[in-house]
């Protein structure tokens, strides 16, 4: 069994005539929770799109669970939650999940399971268009959990949620990781970084650091990860 | 391709329509109302027999064009299409799912509008009734396929809606709505001859005028089916798993 869920090598992506990911090489160990952190516009979404195989890439390779990204064999094994909630606004939460469950060939009852997991039981018959922002995000997240995928690619799944809900979702993520699921989670807020086992710090389409939170703190001599991040940036700029 | 996924997609689209009561009401109500209006504006059974079928042939085209172009544009912009493209769903599943859902809708529409036209409004149908439904279905699929294709070139729903007159009105003018095709200049005639809607209108006229399946009707049906298939292939080409 291979040890990496995701491996990229020299990944380059051009969007809108500009190169926005410049030779990105990293790997995500199986069963880990890896945070992809960096300011808005640094290329997190683009990178995640490349991992799930919907992004046209200009160079390099992306290998997911031993297959090229986007391979037919991966379509039931990778769950993806886009940054903007991707649900059908005119359908209820349950209808949305039932549809995606059929598409994924998930077993019966899976829709109900994930509705409970993201805490939307009370809103299951509500039209998606009438959900609050946080509920909508969770409905979109629930779709990614259908069919028990081995790799979850979650683009800013906790944005706009209150601290209590955020805490609950992180508990769910850790629980999933405990079952052997690999999670690649992006965020632009640093206070989530501490919850990850590994961090990928990204800026302007480049990888600045790939390490554990503790190692980052130690290397930069600070306790605060936000400061550690700034430290890394300053170091890089000093080198350049 | 998977039957389960195709049918799930059909069910999903029908559920979306069902939740949107107003749209559903308009899908059925507006053509019915227009048909009644046309009958009493023309106020002569003979003239109505000429224009009524044109409307019957054109409604499903226009309606499905709009519904599909806006619907698929929403799938593209809301991220649901991107998400579906990471799942086992094949392009064909999506296309057939749409075709089935909108085919059913078009048949219901035709059943209501056709019944009103044939009974209350006294439209004379010479050909067998099933040909009316066949032509309606093909017109709906043609509109759907072109709507799917057009949605790839729209960034906003405003643009998508504007594509309807751009695609449909020139075809309507050329299809003999105001002037029979035979009386047009050679250039216009030639243009009319390559427009699929001309054949939709001709098919409808044919089956109101003649009993049985005439050669012209058979040819028209073949042309519409061919165009719908071609448009669907073009539409399918605009659905990409990977995008920039
Ligand atoms: N559809 C697009 N067309 C052109 N450029 C894009 C597109 N989407 C994103 N970009 C550009 O790519 C870069 C990375 O964007 P993105 O991956 O969305 O960043 P993040 O998710 O970190 O906020 C940005 O400079 C953004 O402007
Ligand atoms: Mg993003």
């Amino acid at each position: 069994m291979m040890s990496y869920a995701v491996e990229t090598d020299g990944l380059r992506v051009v969007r809108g005539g500009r190169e926005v990911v410049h030779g990105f090489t990293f790997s995500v160990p199986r069963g880990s929770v890896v945070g992809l952190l960096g300011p808005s516009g640094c290329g997190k979404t683009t990178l995640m799109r490349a991992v799930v195989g919907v992004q046209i890439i200009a160079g390099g390779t992306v290998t997911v669970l031993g297959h090229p990204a986007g391979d037919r064999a991966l379509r039931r094994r990778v769950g993806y939650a886009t940054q903007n909630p991707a649900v059908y606004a005119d359908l209820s939460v349950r209808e949305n999940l039932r549809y995606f469950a059929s598409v994924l060939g998930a077993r019966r009852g899976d829709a109900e399971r994930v509705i409970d997991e993201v805490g939307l039981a009370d809103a299951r018959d509500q039209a998606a268009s009438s959900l609050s922002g946080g509920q909508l995000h969770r409905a979109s997240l629930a779709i990614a959990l259908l069919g028990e995928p081995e790799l979850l690619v979650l683009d800013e799944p906790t944005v706009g949620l209150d601290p209590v809900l955020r805490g609950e979702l992180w508990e769910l993520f850790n629980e999933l990781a405990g079952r052997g699921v690999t999670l690649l989670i992006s965020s632009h807020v640093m206070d989530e970084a501490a919850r990850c086992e590994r961090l990928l710090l990204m800026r302007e389409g480049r990888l600045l650091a790939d390490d554990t939170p503790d190692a980052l703190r130690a290397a930069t001599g600070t306790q605060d990860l936000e400061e550690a991040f700034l430290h890394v940036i300053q170091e890089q700029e000093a080198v350049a | 391709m998977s039957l389960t996924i195709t049918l799930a997609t059909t069910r999903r689209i029908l559920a979306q329509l069902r939740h949107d009561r107003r749209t559903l009401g308009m899908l059925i109500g507006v053509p019915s109302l227009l048909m009644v209006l046309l009958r009493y504006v023309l106020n002569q059974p003979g003239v109505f027999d000429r224009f009524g079928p044109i409307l019957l042939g054109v409604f499903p085209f226009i309606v499905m064009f709009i519904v599909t172009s806006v619907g698929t544009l929403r799938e593209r912009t809301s991220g649901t299409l991107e998400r579906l493209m990471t799942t086992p769903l094949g392009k064909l599943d999506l296309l057939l799912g749409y075709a089935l859902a909108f085919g059913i809708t078009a048949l219901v529409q035709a059943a209501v509008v056709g019944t009103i036209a044939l009974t209350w409004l006294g439209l004379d149908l010479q050909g067998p009734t099933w040909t009316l439904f066949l032509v309606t279905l093909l017109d709906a699929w043609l509109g759907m396929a072109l709507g799917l294709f057009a949605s790839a070139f729209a960034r906003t729903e405003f643009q998508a809606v504007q594509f309807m007159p751009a695609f449909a009105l020139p075809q309507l003018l050329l299809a003999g709505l105001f002037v029979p095709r035979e009386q047009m200049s050679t250039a216009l005639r030639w243009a009319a001859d390559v427009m699929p809607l001309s054949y939709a209108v001709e098919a409808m006229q044919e089956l109101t005028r003649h009993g049985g399946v005439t050669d012209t009707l058979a040819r028209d049906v073949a042309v519409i089916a061919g165009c719908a298939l071609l448009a669907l292939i073009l539409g399918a080409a605009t659905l990409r798993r990977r995008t920039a």
Side-chain angles (χ1 to χ4, degrees):
Chain A
M1 179 153 173
M2 62 233 119
S3 52
Y4 292 115
V6 181
E7 275 183 283
T8 74
D9 187 17
L11 172 66
R12 289 188 305 110
V13 179
V14 175
R15 292 189 96 172
R18 242 163 18 93
E19 188 174 279
V20 296
V21 174
H22 321 281
F24 214 93
T25 302
F26 75 101
S27 50
V28 175
R30 283 205 177 216
S32 62
V33 182
V34 173
L36 179 61
L37 288 125
S40 186
C42 71
K44 301 183 294 295
T45 297
T46 305
L47 192 71
M48 293 188 135
R49 278 170 44 85
V51 170
V52 298
V54 296
Q55 176 69 52
I56 295 174
I57 63 176
T61 59
V62 186
T63 309
V64 177
L65 303 170
H67 298 270
D71 194 85
R72 206 173 262 281
L74 294 172
R75 295 202 184 132
R76 282 175 216 278
R77 300 171 64 195
V78 179
Y80 173 42
T82 48
Q83 181 169 359
N84 298 316
V87 298
Y88 296 100
D90 34 14
L91 295 183
S92 71
V93 172
R94 183 189 260 143
E95 286 169 324
N96 265 293
L97 283 151
R98 288 220 170 134
Y99 173 54
F100 282 101
S102 315
V103 167
L104 289 161
R107 61 181 169 72
R108 282 186 72 84
D110 219 32
E112 306 299 325
R113 172 185 66 91
V114 296
I115 288 173
D116 290 336
E117 277 186 342
V118 299
L120 277 181
D122 292 338
R124 69 176 89 224
D125 290 317
Q126 222 172 304
S129 57
S130 71
L131 298 176
S132 72
Q135 286 176 321
L136 199 60
H137 253 93
R138 281 182 284 150
S140 185
L141 172 65
I143 296 173
L145 303 178
L146 285 167
E148 319 213 338
E150 292 161 58
L151 170 68
L152 280 171
V153 179
L154 309 176
D155 200 355
E156 311 214 11
T158 59
V159 72
L161 295 185
D162 63 74
V164 178
L165 270 176
R166 218 193 275 184
E168 282 173 14
L169 283 186
W170 274 100
E171 262 171 46
L172 173 64
F173 298 156
N174 288 326
E175 190 191 311
L176 288 165
R179 286 187 233 157
V181 178
T182 309
L183 293 99
L184 179 62
I185 300 174
S186 75
S187 178
H188 67 263
V189 284
M190 283 299 147
D191 61 354
E192 300 210 305
R195 300 176 182 269
C196 302
E197 287 162 51
R198 282 192 86 77
L199 294 176
L200 299 166
L201 294 188
M202 196 174 171
R203 190 166 182 251
E204 291 173 358
R206 283 179 218 285
L207 183 63
L208 297 186
D210 175 1
D211 224 329
T212 64
D214 284 341
L216 265 173
R217 288 195 193 95
T220 53
T222 65
Q223 271 314 298
D224 185 67
L225 279 169
E226 182 137 5
E227 252 173 61
F229 188 30
L230 289 174
H231 228 93
V232 174
I233 291 173
Q234 278 162 8
E235 265 172 40
Q236 298 266 330
E237 276 171 358
V239 173
Chain B
M1 212 228 117
S2 135
L3 191 63
T4 321
I5 298 180
T6 302
L7 292 180
T9 305
T10 299
R11 236 178 300 126
R12 185 262 293 175
I13 295 162
L14 288 176
Q16 286 179 289
L17 275 180
R18 216 173 38 244
H19 284 302
D20 192 350
R21 290 279 158 79
R22 198 169 294 178
T23 297
L24 201 58
M26 297 217 290
L27 278 179
I28 309 292
V30 172
S32 305
L33 190 71
L34 285 176
M35 203 50 124
V36 174
L37 211 58
L38 183 74
R39 164 68 185 79
Y40 289 103
V41 166
L42 296 174
N43 215 15
Q44 289 164 318
V47 183
F48 181 60
D49 282 347
R50 198 186 134 214
F51 286 102
I54 300 185
L55 229 54
L56 268 182
V58 164
F59 281 138
F61 174 87
I62 291 189
V63 167
M64 295 311 150
F65 184 98
I66 297 181
V67 175
T68 315
S69 57
V70 173
T72 43
L73 182 75
R74 274 191 202 160
E75 292 238 31
R76 288 177 209 270
T77 52
S78 70
T80 48
L81 184 65
E82 175 173 329
R83 180 162 227 164
L84 285 174
M85 287 309 176
T86 67
T87 70
L89 172 131
K91 287 186 204 177
L92 205 59
D93 295 321
L94 192 66
L95 290 175
L96 291 181
Y98 266 91
L100 220 55
F102 290 146
I104 292 169
T105 314
L107 286 180
V108 173
Q109 187 190 50
V112 175
V113 185
T115 305
I116 291 176
L118 293 174
T119 56
W120 173 17
L121 304 177
L123 182 74
D124 259 338
L125 188 69
Q126 303 293 326
T129 317
W130 65 266
T131 53
L132 177 74
F133 285 100
L134 176 68
V135 175
T136 301
L137 192 61
L138 291 174
D139 286 355
W141 282 340
L142 181 66
M144 184 199 90
L146 283 174
L148 182 73
F149 177 66
S151 78
F153 303 97
R155 292 262 170 280
T156 65
E157 287 184 21
F158 277 143
Q159 291 175 7
V161 172
Q162 302 292 337
F163 273 129
M164 193 285 290
F167 268 78
L169 287 186
Q171 293 203 63
L172 268 183
L173 295 179
L174 289 169
L177 187 61
F178 298 116
V179 181
R181 277 199 284 156
E182 298 76 39
Q183 292 171 23
M184 292 175 190
S185 68
T186 322
L188 289 181
R189 181 71 211 270
W190 185 84
D193 285 350
V194 296
M195 297 292 182
L197 215 51
S198 302
Y199 297 89
V201 167
E202 190 180 72
M204 283 298 183
Q205 288 171 334
E206 199 65 15
L207 61 89
T208 43
R209 280 185 204 147
H210 306 285
V213 181
T214 61
D215 288 349
T216 313
L217 180 58
R219 184 204 61 186
D220 290 341
V221 163
V223 172
I224 307 166
C227 288
L229 194 65
L230 187 70
L232 207 58
I233 294 170
L234 287 176
T238 68
L239 294 175
R240 294 279 158 100
R241 276 207 195 263
R242 283 179 189 272
T243 51

